[in-house]
Amino acid sequence: MSYQILPPHGGYRKLLSYQLATIAFDFGLEFANKYIGTRSRTHDQIVQALRSGKQNIVEASMASGTSKKTEIKLLGVARASLEEALADAEDFLRQHGLILWLKTDPRVLEIRKLGYRSDKSYETYMTYMGEPESAANCLLCVIHQTNYLLDRQIQAVEREFLEKGGLTERLYSARTYRRDTA
């Protein structure tokens, strides 16, 4: 019998959090280009925050085989980056005298439904790009859904660590098993 030290890891493309973070990044880039302008510092900030959210999910997924601590930390960084982009989109609405749609608004409920589609991409949301208020509110919805998924993902990784331990425990168990069966 062999002992598996490194569990399967990676596979971030299958994560719903990664899929929605990618949509948020693509949609947010289009939003920033169209309504904020490429010469604005806010443009750079929101695009970088959205990119950081997506990329830290990738890095967390790849680190998951060797360090649950690093995985949790990077998922937290992804979550914080997306929260920064969320604040930027809210600021955009406030500074332009536009309305922040409530989560019970029928338009928000329609956008949220799109997140459950299996064939979604940022093009799925492009009908909301027509005017700045709907674009910003759509971006907010996608970020909120991504953040929800990230919160659940972080909780799952924490539970997994508590139940199975991390690399140090696996290394010790593998060495003990090898020594005791040799």
Side-chain angles (χ1 to χ4, degrees):
M1 179 176 161
S2 67
Y3 207 90
Q4 184 177 11
I5 295 173
L6 293 180
H9 57 283
Y12 57 87
R13 292 183 194 281
K14 295 178 184 175
L15 294 170
L16 292 177
S17 60
Y18 173 77
Q19 293 169 11
L20 275 178
T22 300
I23 291 169
F25 173 63
D26 292 345
F27 189 89
L29 177 61
E30 182 83 15
F31 165 78
N33 287 344
K34 186 170 183 174
Y35 294 113
I36 297 175
T38 57
R39 293 185 176 176
S40 168
R41 179 78 177 118
T42 302
H43 175 283
D44 296 343
Q45 286 292 112
I46 197 167
V47 170
Q48 285 305 313
L50 291 165
R51 182 185 181 282
S52 177
K54 180 179 84 68
Q55 293 304 106
N56 276 288
I57 295 169
V58 172
E59 196 172 346
S61 178
M62 296 310 296
S64 68
T66 56
S67 175
K68 290 297 169 195
K69 178 181 176 181
T70 300
E71 181 182 13
I72 291 168
K73 180 180 178 183
L74 290 168
L75 290 173
V77 171
R79 179 67 170 80
S81 294
L82 291 170
E83 195 69 28
E84 179 184 347
L86 190 78
D88 284 336
E90 289 172 346
D91 290 346
F92 175 85
L93 287 169
R94 187 184 67 258
Q95 292 166 355
H96 290 84
L98 303 171
I99 296 171
L100 171 64
W101 299 344
L102 300 176
K103 66 180 183 177
T104 56
D105 187 302
R107 296 168 291 188
V108 169
L109 299 175
E110 283 299 312
I111 295 167
R112 288 172 56 189
K113 282 182 192 175
L114 296 175
Y116 295 105
R117 289 180 45 178
S118 61
D119 64 340
K120 65 188 168 294
S121 70
Y122 98 101
E123 287 90 3
T124 306
Y125 299 85
M126 289 309 288
T127 57
Y128 294 93
M129 191 60 74
E131 58 184 56
E133 182 175 292
S134 65
N137 278 288
C138 181
L139 180 59
L140 287 169
C141 288
V142 176
I143 293 171
H144 278 301
Q145 285 183 310
T146 307
N147 283 345
Y148 173 79
L149 291 171
L150 275 172
D151 290 342
R152 302 265 322 260
Q153 188 175 346
I154 291 166
Q155 291 168 354
V157 173
E158 289 170 346
R159 277 193 309 276
E160 181 183 4
F161 175 75
L162 291 173
E163 291 170 9
K164 298 180 181 177
L167 180 62
T168 302
E169 291 89 351
R170 288 193 304 277
L171 288 169
Y172 178 78
S173 295
R175 181 70 183 124
T176 302
Y177 174 81
R178 172 77 177 207
R179 185 188 65 223
D180 292 348
T181 58

